Amino acid sequence: MIPKPPLFNSKRREERRKVTLIAGLVCRDSVVFAADSEESGGIRKSNVEKMRHIPERGIRGILGHDTRTCTSVVVSGAGNAALCDYAIQRITDVVRSIKGMAEALTAIQNILIDIWKVHAPLLPVSDPMETDFRLLIGLRSPELSEPFLYSTQGTTIVRREKYFTWGSGSIADYILDQMYSDPMTTEEGIGAALSMLQLAKKYVA
């Protein structure tokens, strides 16, 4: 039996709570992302967007960028909701216009440094730990055919070779460890991600 992890606590009932679960799976020719869309605050629950994807297909991309010569990027976040949203917006807006993988990673790190040096310290929270947020980032640059998965904690960016999760303790890792095989097809990755979300939501409040 999978043990039930402790509930997230909130000091203020109406405060926007932390994202529960995000996950990324490295497949044979893709990276599959999963995020639960439920967010609770006080007595209400709502569905929110916790992931942003700048498409890589099509003649023209968002805001007129040619996706055939720009980097495709997916970002999802767990932790402080305001900082997650801000980081996701900035990273996708900046990285999509960059062609090289090394340049894209440098740009992401500079954005994270700015957020942690300038924005996080000024956020009105009672405990500095409440500013914590973490990201999963998928990148595919025009110079490389294969996509890559990265996780961030603070200003540190780490490449992940198989799968990685944030926000749910060990339960999602345990589930994916049983389901993940290398290499997985995209269809297998989607199936594993959906099964993981269904199982995890039974045990994560």
Side-chain angles (χ1 to χ4, degrees):
M1 176 180 292
I2 301 174
K4 184 174 181 179
L7 302 177
F8 283 117
N9 294 319
S10 177
K11 295 181 181 178
R12 288 166 288 191
R13 288 176 59 85
E14 295 301 324
E15 182 181 33
R16 183 177 173 185
R17 294 185 183 177
K18 293 184 176 182
V19 170
T20 303
L21 172 62
I22 57 173
L25 294 82
V26 179
C27 298
R28 187 177 300 159
D29 54 0
S30 65
V31 174
V32 173
F33 276 73
D36 75 299
S37 60
E38 186 176 87
E39 183 175 86
S40 60
I43 60 173
R44 65 175 177 82
K45 290 185 178 180
S46 59
N47 288 333
V48 296
E49 186 65 46
K50 300 175 181 178
M51 186 185 311
R52 191 180 187 197
H53 176 208
I54 300 302
E56 61 183 78
R57 293 186 175 87
I59 297 175
R60 303 290 291 181
I62 294 176
L63 299 181
H65 287 281
D66 189 336
T67 56
R68 294 168 298 181
T69 60
C70 296
T71 296
S72 176
V73 56
V74 183
V75 187
S76 58
N80 183 282
L83 291 178
C84 278
D85 291 346
Y86 182 65
I88 289 171
Q89 290 171 7
R90 283 195 61 184
I91 289 171
T92 51
D93 286 344
V94 170
V95 171
R96 65 186 176 188
S97 62
I98 297 174
K99 296 181 181 180
M101 184 68 74
E103 292 86 348
L105 290 172
T106 298
I108 292 171
Q109 189 158 60
N110 288 336
I111 290 170
L112 293 174
I113 291 171
D114 177 64
I115 291 173
W116 282 107
K117 286 181 65 176
V118 178
H119 300 277
L122 297 177
L123 207 65
V125 294
S126 57
D127 182 352
M129 291 299 294
E130 294 180 37
T131 63
D132 185 42
F133 74 95
R134 303 173 187 193
L135 306 174
L136 288 181
I137 303 172
L139 294 175
R140 172 183 277 160
S141 68
E143 63 183 357
L144 301 171
S145 59
E146 121 182 70
F148 296 97
L149 174 67
Y150 298 89
S151 68
T152 75
Q153 183 172 10
T155 61
T156 303
I157 304 173
V158 181
R159 180 178 167 185
R160 303 299 177 178
E161 302 291 340
K162 294 184 177 180
Y163 64 84
F164 202 78
T165 66
W166 280 131
S168 63
S170 60
I171 185 169
D173 288 335
Y174 175 79
I175 296 169
L176 288 178
D177 189 56
Q178 309 305 308
M179 296 180 174
Y180 187 86
S181 60
D182 188 18
M184 298 182 78
T185 65
T186 299
E187 291 74 16
E188 291 170 337
I190 292 172
L194 290 174
S195 297
M196 180 272 297
L197 284 175
Q198 288 179 328
L199 288 170
K201 284 180 73 66
K202 292 182 179 180
Y203 297 97
V204 179

